[in-house]
């Protein structure tokens, strides 16, 4: 199995490149571009659909024959909801940076007759999940109930320092609806302040997979199966951008039974 943690390759240009082939799985892809003003990232979508997420900074975007103009307003992923742009399969896109720009490219198999569209902040309501030191703040970008994509699910979460997230531990590695859906998942992590660190554990019930990873600013973690809780260390807020996809565009998870009592505590 490939290493479950992917470190950024440099600090400029395409610094992260995760494909189904490199991850050893079937559905999810993830790229991260760090651009200087005036620089452009572009690609053909081929047989995949794409969600571009303005993690930070501003840039002008085109998709197919549509010009979406300038998108992006936050200068940090810790400053509110993002701008995003959906691009269907069989199309192309380009984004030219107007400021320092961090652009995420989330991808999965495409299909259907979807059209390119902007996803501005506020498209979906902001959510707060958990209680006590399990509180975290959720910005849905492409949730399952929007009916606007073939397979992509995209969401970002901010976990305050000292809190846990994706917790109590849950998994979604069985194609067993309505009880559980099979979804591969990537986490793109950022820390505030950036010198901080956190932790993520990925493990299965039988412990045939059981890895604990130190999370540093810019790391991507892969979740091919199993439970995958995170913890943010005191003093450092943890941001992550999730990309999920599988055979059905449904997020139905299964809680670790030994920890499910926490939901009632």
């Amino acid at each position: 199995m490939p290493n479950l943690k992917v470190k950024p390759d440099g600090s400029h240009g395409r610094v992260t490149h995760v494909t189904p082939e490199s991850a050893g799985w079937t559905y999810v892809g993830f790229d991260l571009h760090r651009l200087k003003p005036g620089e452009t990232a572009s690609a053909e979508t081929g047989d995949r659909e794409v969600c571009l997420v303005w993690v930070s900074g501003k840039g002008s975007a085109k998709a197919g024959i549509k010009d979406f103009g300038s998108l992006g307003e936050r200068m940090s992923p810790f400053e509110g909801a993002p701008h995003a742009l959906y691009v269907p399969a069989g199309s192309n896109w380009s984004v030219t940076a107007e400021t320092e720009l961090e652009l995420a490219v989330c991808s999965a198999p495409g299909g259907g007759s979807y059209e390119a569209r902007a996803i501005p902040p506020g498209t979906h309501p902001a959510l707060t999940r958990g209680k006590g030191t399990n509180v975290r703040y959720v910005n849905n970008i492409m949730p399952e109930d929007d009916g606007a994509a073939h397979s992509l699910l995209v969401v970002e979460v901010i976990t305050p320092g000292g809190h846990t997230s994706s917790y109590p531990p849950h998994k979604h590695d069985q194609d067993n609806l309505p009880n559980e859906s099979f979804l591969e998942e990537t986490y793109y992590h950022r820390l505030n302040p950036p010198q901080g660190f956190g932790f993520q554990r990925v493990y299965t019930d039988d412990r045939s997979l059981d890895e604990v990873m130190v999370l540093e600013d810019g790391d991507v973690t892969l979740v091919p199966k199993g439970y995958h809780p995170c913890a943010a260390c005191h003093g450092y807020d943890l941001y992550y951008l999730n990309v999920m996809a599988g055979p059905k565009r449904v997020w139905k998870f299964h809680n670790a039974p030994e920890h499910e009592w926490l939901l009632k505590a």
Side-chain angles (χ1 to χ4, degrees):
M1 181 176 293
N3 192 329
L4 297 187
K5 185 166 74 170
V6 180
K7 303 289 292 184
D9 181 14
S11 59
H12 177 245
R14 188 179 69 183
V15 299
T16 302
H17 184 48
V18 176
T19 67
E21 293 74 23
S22 70
W25 58 28
T26 304
Y27 299 98
V28 171
F30 181 81
D31 285 356
L32 196 285
H33 297 265
R34 291 178 179 161
L35 304 178
K36 297 176 181 178
E39 294 181 334
T40 298
S42 63
E44 303 281 337
T45 58
D47 61 357
R48 296 176 68 77
E49 61 186 7
V50 166
C51 178
L52 306 174
V53 179
W54 275 245
V55 178
S56 64
K58 300 179 181 181
S60 57
K62 296 180 180 179
I65 62 173
K66 295 183 179 180
D67 187 340
F68 288 89
S70 179
L71 298 176
E73 56 188 44
R74 67 184 189 185
M75 292 295 110
S76 162
F78 298 91
E79 295 176 353
H83 281 257
L85 178 65
Y86 172 79
V87 188
S91 186
N92 58 77
W93 60 268
S94 67
V95 176
T96 300
E98 298 170 335
T99 67
E100 295 278 338
L101 176 62
E102 189 167 7
L103 181 74
V105 184
C106 316
S107 71
S113 56
Y114 302 100
E115 296 186 357
R117 71 185 191 285
I119 307 171
T123 299
H124 304 286
L127 303 173
T128 300
R129 291 193 184 131
K131 56 185 178 180
T133 55
N134 200 39
V135 165
R136 62 270 197 206
Y137 305 100
V138 179
N139 287 316
N140 272 313
I141 301 170
M142 292 184 63
E144 64 176 306
D145 61 1
D146 66 358
H150 180 70
S151 58
L152 260 179
L153 296 164
V154 183
V155 62
E156 60 178 25
V157 178
I158 292 179
T159 307
H163 287 216
T164 51
S165 195
S166 296
Y167 188 84
H170 70 262
K171 70 181 185 76
H172 37 72
D173 58 14
Q174 300 294 319
D175 187 9
N176 182 34
L177 289 170
N179 300 311
E180 185 177 350
S181 56
F182 176 84
L183 295 169
E184 301 163 351
E185 186 169 18
T186 56
Y187 280 66
Y188 170 56
H189 294 283
R190 295 289 308 277
L191 276 298
N192 184 33
Q195 71 270 26
F197 62 95
F199 297 95
Q200 186 165 25
R201 184 185 183 193
V202 180
Y203 68 100
T204 55
D205 286 310
D206 63 4
R207 304 303 193 265
S208 60
L209 173 61
D210 193 357
E211 291 195 23
V212 177
M213 293 166 280
V214 176
L215 308 174
E216 294 183 302
D217 194 53
D219 288 349
V220 170
T221 53
L222 311 180
V223 182
K225 60 182 178 179
Y227 308 99
H228 39 277
C230 300
C233 289
H234 173 72
Y236 297 97
D237 294 343
L238 174 67
Y239 161 97
Y240 56 77
L241 174 64
N242 284 143
V243 186
M244 293 181 282
K248 299 180 182 68
R249 192 171 182 256
V250 178
W251 182 53
K252 185 71 173 180
F253 58 86
H254 170 75
N255 290 313
E258 68 272 29
H259 301 300
E260 202 161 23
W261 68 271
L262 290 164
L263 296 171
K264 304 170 185 176

